[in-house]
Amino acid sequence: MQDAPSHPGIHKTTFEHPGAIKVGLFLLSAGPLAFEITLTRLFSVAQFYHFAFMIVSIALLGSGASGTALALFPNLGRKNPLKSVGNLALATSLSMLGAYLLTNAYPIDTFSIAWDHRQVAILALHYIALATPFFFSGMAVGLLLAVYPRSAGGIYAVNMLGSALGCAIALLAPSVLGGVGTVLFCSGLAALASLTCLGRRDPEVDRSTTFNAVPVIFAALLLVVSTLDLGLRLIGYSGLPGFDLHISPYKSISYILQQPGAEVIFRRWNSFSRVDVVQSASIHSIPGLSYRYLDPLPTTNGLLVDGDDMSPILSTNADTAFVEYLSSAIAYHLRPDASALVLEPRGGLDIHTALALGAARVTTVEANPLIVEAAGAVYHDPRVLVVIETDRSFLRRSSGQFDVIVLSLTASYHPVHSGAYSLGEDYRYTVESFQDALRHLTPGGLLVVTRWLQDPPSEDLRAFALAVTALEQNGADPGTQIVAFRSYNSLTILVRNGVFTTDELQAVRSFTAGRAFDMVYAPDIQADETNRYNILPESTYYQTYTDLLTASPRSDFYAEYPYDITPPTDDHPFFGHFFKWSQAEDILAELGRTWQPFGGAGYFIILALFFFALLLAGSLILLPLAFRRSTDAQRVDQPSNLLPLTYFILIGLAYLLVEIPLFQSFILYLGEPAYAMASVLFTLLLFSALGSAWSRRLSHPHVLGWLCLLLLGIPLFLPMLFERTLGLPFEFRLVLTGIALAPLGFMMGIPFPAGIRWMMEKRACPGIQLSIGKGAGAFRIPWIWAANGASSVVASILAALLALNFGFNWVFWIGALCYGGAWFAVIVPKWDRRPRSLHR
């Protein structure tokens, strides 16, 4: 295959540029990807988890916009690619720091955005600032693809390899540097990429070109700042001043620190969390406590994960008399000298309860080692066996049987009707999770679940529905094996392995009456024994729970109920998603009148972002055509030439429609969102790089066909993998993640570079033959780079919406459909086969 005709200032189309560009591109790919993942962690801490998904779409927006810019200005940076990549790396480094400092100094106030229009402007500013680093790094990749199109496989491979390194950095660096320190480290990587390119001369460029030292000096300064911050953190200091993370005033830690004398006595980062312990005499948080306990409560410290969801830490000498008045105490009254399993007790309240009420042995499972370190003495009690592991993995691995299993309440109270907290995956509250727990109960053993009360019943009712469904799927009778009662703000569910006896039911009634807890459901419950102490106008909870249990078919009850309270599954693990379209009118009527994120319309914000992404994607794709007036450009938008554009849009959609549900699914397998995101991305990117490098040796249509088959099989393969190996040690699961996803990642790396070659081949697509010059050929590759990135922006939000409403399997199937459409675009001969060059 011969190179296209040369033109002044334009380089060869083979990948013969200096090694400095390869090293620079590798580093430049690593920094922004690590920055992207780290931003999801920082936003989870500074704001709320539902902000994290926006970062992926912002990164892709920046990358897509870079392709549009290159299409609008096709000769931009082409004279000296080495210098251009160096300058773009410098811009990436500067914009990383600038974006962090700007968003940190001017945080978005989601609670007032409904009536304070300045917050909309700030949100737009955040989008632009955070997209900027990815714009510059994406422009470097797009520029190299445009200058060296026949080396697309090599360029794409280096980009993917660097991005894979970024995943590893994002996973490992926060434990040493903290979240903010990792941001500066990412900026330093981009600065190093800049120095790598700017410190070398491109031999293909006229040697008379004047050397400009200013960019080199700036890059060196940025590298010095990053290195200095790194050094300070490594020797135990908090890093350079001025970079401290500002926390939203609506996070729990912000409220607590407003109390007189409150101070942070412990703060540590690891790969997936920031754990704080706040000391204050005003902290008395004891969830599930009866109001009939009238003695003074012991002073507690507050343990917070990512600045939220505070749980109490009792001192070693605290008076634990109050535990008799906790709703979970009934389990130890019914099972004295119990063997207890406490799942994720956070600050340790449920461990104290078990020990104080006579449990003979307590096994506690806590996934976060920083929590064990921060909570201190209770985890070191000789009667307590501590297992550092996720509860799902432990339940699959362990063969132990327990008299009492407590699923600790780890979440703070959040109103559910806004949908603002819908996006959080919670694999502790799925049908499969409850079934795993029930299998570990001794005969007559009790599973204890406590949730916050909502009006009307929602999260508590969903937990009840989970217990009912898990029992039914195990072949048991839920009507005889469940008891539920409520305090003034929480509801506790007891699930028995076997039928409750008459004596046990009488003991429950005596316990609840003595502590002013209201019965909600029991096998022999009567309406007149409900709603006695925490009195409501009607006995709503009793009636609703009874209706759910007796409904036939139960699907009718779920369909008619005002909230979505269908039991979550591992394929659809969104316990906090209660939205139904029947709520829309009420939510819009309350918009801006409730003190909640996004004025109470959180789910609609997600939809609004999706339609905004559609508008942006359309603009990024169509803008180059609107501003390009040459005869060649007009040929580009002819129907026969839109087929390649459609191809790159489809593979852009497909990649993200596969990637996002994969790391959501692997949260179950690896335990934490950060582990899942970094590990899945690392595997996909690493093997995509290998696939890209090998793309010339494999049949393009065959690869697309195999991708469709692989994706259709994933909904069958992943559950089998998780079922058989979830109980293995974490290190083994990490390796199995790589092995399981390697073939998929390898295949997914092929369609993009293969698509570029497909466009260029006369025999495949003569009507759009490329020439690398000032005409449409120089315009086309940046244009398809823009289209690919723009479609990925849409896919990142679309994947979240589809998973939220239909489950992960549907997202995989739609991803397979997109790859199928790309396969069809490659094999169907609908274009004009008469050779003609776009450059004349």
Side-chain angles (χ1 to χ4, degrees):
M1 184 180 297
Q2 295 181 347
D3 291 341
S6 61
H7 297 271
I10 302 303
H11 288 245
K12 297 179 181 179
T13 56
T14 52
F15 199 41
E16 297 175 353
H17 43 71
I21 287 188
K22 298 179 184 179
V23 176
L25 178 61
F26 178 77
L27 294 172
L28 184 55
S29 301
L33 202 288
F35 180 63
E36 176 185 344
I37 297 175
T38 304
L39 281 178
T40 66
R41 293 294 318 124
L42 291 177
F43 270 75
S44 293
V45 175
Q47 293 283 347
F48 294 95
Y49 178 80
H50 53 263
F51 268 91
F53 89 98
M54 293 168 52
I55 300 300
V56 177
S57 65
I58 290 172
L60 294 167
L61 171 65
S63 181
S66 70
T68 300
L70 287 170
L72 289 172
F73 306 101
N75 294 319
L76 185 66
R78 296 168 65 88
K79 182 178 180 181
N80 188 339
L82 181 64
K83 178 180 177 183
S84 298
V85 171
N87 287 331
L88 289 168
L90 173 59
T92 302
S93 177
L94 278 170
S95 57
M96 282 183 190
L97 285 185
Y100 169 74
L101 291 172
L102 188 146
T103 55
N104 197 42
Y106 300 97
I108 180 71
D109 185 344
T110 59
F111 282 71
S112 65
I113 195 171
W115 60 83
D116 185 355
H117 298 304
R118 292 175 300 174
Q119 300 304 321
V120 177
I122 292 175
L123 181 61
L125 184 63
H126 280 207
Y127 252 82
I128 295 170
L130 292 171
T132 302
F134 306 103
F135 173 83
F136 289 124
S137 60
M139 183 172 281
V141 180
L143 174 65
L144 293 178
L145 288 171
V147 175
Y148 307 101
R150 287 190 169 83
S151 295
I155 295 168
Y156 201 57
V158 172
N159 175 235
M160 290 290 185
L161 283 172
S163 297
L165 173 64
C167 294
I169 291 170
L171 191 62
L172 300 174
S175 298
V176 180
L177 306 177
V180 177
T182 305
V183 168
L184 273 79
F185 183 75
C186 294
S187 175
L189 281 177
L192 183 59
S194 177
L195 288 174
T196 302
C197 294
L198 294 177
R200 299 280 299 273
R201 299 294 296 271
D202 190 335
E204 297 187 23
V205 179
D206 187 352
R207 296 183 181 275
S208 65
T209 302
T210 304
F211 177 72
N212 186 357
V214 174
V216 176
I217 294 172
F218 270 106
L221 287 174
L222 287 169
L223 186 59
V224 168
V225 169
S226 175
T227 305
L228 182 59
D229 182 82
L230 172 65
L232 289 172
R233 293 177 189 277
L234 289 177
I235 62 176
Y237 290 91
S238 59
L240 294 174
F243 290 94
D244 291 341
L245 185 65
H246 295 164
I247 307 295
S248 166
Y250 307 112
K251 297 291 288 264
S252 297
I253 192 171
S254 300
Y255 287 117
I256 297 170
L257 289 176
Q258 293 175 13
Q259 303 299 320
E263 62 173 333
V264 176
I265 60 173
F266 178 95
R267 173 170 292 166
R268 289 278 302 278
W269 288 81
N270 60 15
S271 300
F272 56 88
S273 68
R274 191 185 88 171
V275 174
D276 294 271
V277 176
V278 178
Q279 185 179 67
S280 172
S282 61
I283 298 176
H284 299 288
S285 174
I286 310 290
L289 183 66
S290 166
Y291 62 73
R292 284 194 176 170
Y293 182 76
L294 302 178
D295 292 333
L297 288 171
T299 300
T300 63
N301 292 334
L303 183 145
L304 304 102
V305 178
D306 288 350
D308 215 2
D309 295 334
M310 191 193 77
S311 60
I313 300 176
L314 297 176
S315 62
T316 52
N317 58 353
D319 182 2
T320 56
F322 70 91
V323 301
E324 280 283 0
Y325 288 79
L326 292 175
S327 59
S328 60
I330 180 59
Y332 302 100
H333 283 247
L334 296 174
R335 300 291 177 269
D337 300 318
S339 170
L341 172 64
V342 184
L343 300 174
E344 296 196 22
R346 291 286 176 92
L349 177 61
D350 286 328
I351 303 176
H352 282 288
T353 302
L355 295 174
L357 295 177
R361 186 174 74 256
V362 179
T363 301
T364 182
V365 179
E366 176 54 63
N368 193 335
L370 288 185
I371 289 177
V372 176
E373 179 183 350
V378 68
Y379 283 96
H380 303 299
D381 190 292
R383 295 168 291 175
V384 178
L385 172 64
V386 180
V387 181
I388 306 297
E389 190 175 4
T390 66
D391 49 4
R392 292 295 301 274
S393 177
F394 174 83
L395 290 171
R396 290 289 175 89
R397 175 183 60 79
S398 173
S399 60
Q401 297 288 295
F402 304 91
D403 301 314
V404 175
I405 298 179
V406 179
L407 187 60
S408 296
L409 178 61
T410 60
S412 301
Y413 173 83
H414 297 299
V416 302
H417 71 277
S418 72
Y421 303 93
S422 293
L423 289 172
E425 308 87 355
D426 194 340
Y427 286 98
R428 302 174 75 223
Y429 291 94
T430 67
V431 174
E432 294 88 344
S433 176
F434 275 42
Q435 289 177 315
D436 286 347
L438 291 173
R439 281 193 286 268
H440 285 270
L441 289 174
T442 57
L446 298 170
L447 171 64
V448 184
V449 181
T450 299
R451 295 300 305 184
W452 300 107
L453 279 184
Q454 304 276 352
D455 183 25
S458 49
E459 69 171 280
D460 53 290
L461 184 60
R462 174 167 268 175
F464 181 75
L466 274 170
V468 168
T469 305
L471 286 169
E472 287 180 337
Q473 292 189 5
N474 284 350
D477 179 11
T480 61
Q481 294 181 223
I482 299 179
V483 167
F485 57 90
R486 65 180 176 89
S487 67
Y488 65 94
N489 68 352
S490 65
L491 182 137
T492 297
I493 300 168
L494 303 179
V495 186
R496 190 185 192 276
N497 183 13
V499 177
F500 274 101
T501 67
T502 302
D503 289 343
E504 288 171 340
L505 292 174
Q506 184 55 47
V508 171
R509 286 182 168 87
S510 298
F511 175 85
T512 56
R515 292 155 182 79
F517 293 142
D518 288 291
M519 294 295 296
V520 172
Y521 179 78
D524 58 351
I525 195 167
Q526 301 297 316
D528 59 3
E529 61 178 315
T530 65
N531 203 28
R532 289 181 172 179
Y533 307 106
N534 306 277
I535 299 176
L536 301 172
E538 296 181 4
S539 190
T540 306
Y541 294 91
Y542 158 74
Q543 189 60 54
T544 305
Y545 279 50
T546 304
D547 290 346
L548 183 150
L549 191 59
T550 59
S552 181
R554 194 166 294 127
S555 57
D556 289 348
F557 177 86
Y558 294 143
E560 295 171 5
Y561 198 71
Y563 293 97
D564 181 2
I565 50 94
T566 52
T569 64
D570 285 349
D571 179 56
H572 188 251
F574 301 101
F575 183 82
H577 179 57
F578 299 91
F579 177 81
K580 277 187 172 183
W581 280 103
S582 57
Q583 301 169 245
E585 184 176 350
D586 292 338
I587 291 175
L588 293 175
E590 294 179 4
L591 182 62
R593 299 180 182 180
T594 58
W595 198 245
Q596 298 171 38
F598 300 109
Y603 185 77
F604 287 102
I605 295 298
I606 303 171
L607 288 174
L609 286 174
F610 172 68
F611 289 111
F612 180 61
L614 275 177
L615 179 63
L616 280 177
S619 301
L620 292 176
I621 294 170
L622 297 177
L623 192 62
L625 287 179
F627 281 84
R628 193 165 176 84
R629 302 303 182 191
S630 71
T631 304
D632 288 337
Q634 291 172 14
R635 289 197 190 106
V636 172
D637 61 358
Q638 290 180 359
S640 62
N641 288 335
L642 290 179
L643 196 60
L645 178 67
T646 303
Y647 169 87
F648 283 99
I649 289 174
L650 286 171
I651 65 170
L653 287 170
Y655 202 104
L656 268 293
L657 288 173
V658 175
E659 178 185 283
I660 288 182
L662 275 177
F663 69 67
Q664 288 179 299
S665 298
F666 273 83
I667 292 172
L668 166 63
Y669 195 58
L670 299 176
E672 295 292 340
Y675 284 156
M677 185 176 187
S679 301
V680 169
L681 286 179
F682 175 83
T683 304
L684 291 182
L685 293 171
L686 175 63
F687 285 93
S688 289
L690 298 177
S692 178
W694 277 66
S695 59
R696 287 181 178 273
R697 308 181 187 186
L698 299 172
S699 167
H700 187 189
H702 289 172
V703 167
L704 291 169
W706 277 109
L707 270 173
C708 293
L709 293 177
L710 281 174
L711 292 176
L712 291 174
I714 277 183
L716 299 175
F717 170 69
L718 287 185
M720 290 192 296
L721 173 69
F722 295 171
E723 175 72 26
R724 288 165 173 75
T725 63
L726 185 57
L728 294 177
F730 174 77
E731 294 78 10
F732 284 88
R733 283 179 278 135
L734 202 60
V735 172
L736 284 174
T737 298
I739 294 172
L741 297 181
L744 182 62
F746 184 87
M747 296 284 188
M748 290 171 66
I750 294 172
F752 186 85
I756 291 180
R757 285 193 297 274
W758 165 65
M759 277 203 323
M760 296 172 61
E761 291 173 358
K762 291 182 181 181
R763 60 182 176 84
C765 197
I768 55 168
Q769 179 187 348
L770 288 180
S771 59
I772 309 302
K774 296 182 179 181
F779 157 82
R780 184 179 295 277
I781 289 182
W783 189 40
I784 60 99
W785 177 249
N788 185 259
S791 61
S792 298
V793 176
V794 174
S796 64
I797 303 175
L798 178 62
L801 282 171
L802 289 172
L804 198 59
N805 289 283
F806 304 108
F808 302 137
N809 289 345
W810 275 99
V811 188
F812 289 128
W813 291 332
I814 294 173
L817 184 64
C818 289
Y819 276 124
W823 170 83
F824 186 77
V826 170
I827 67 165
V828 65
K830 287 190 176 288
W831 47 82
D832 183 0
R833 289 189 173 273
R834 291 173 300 168
R836 67 176 183 270
S837 173
L838 284 176
H839 183 82
R840 293 186 175 180

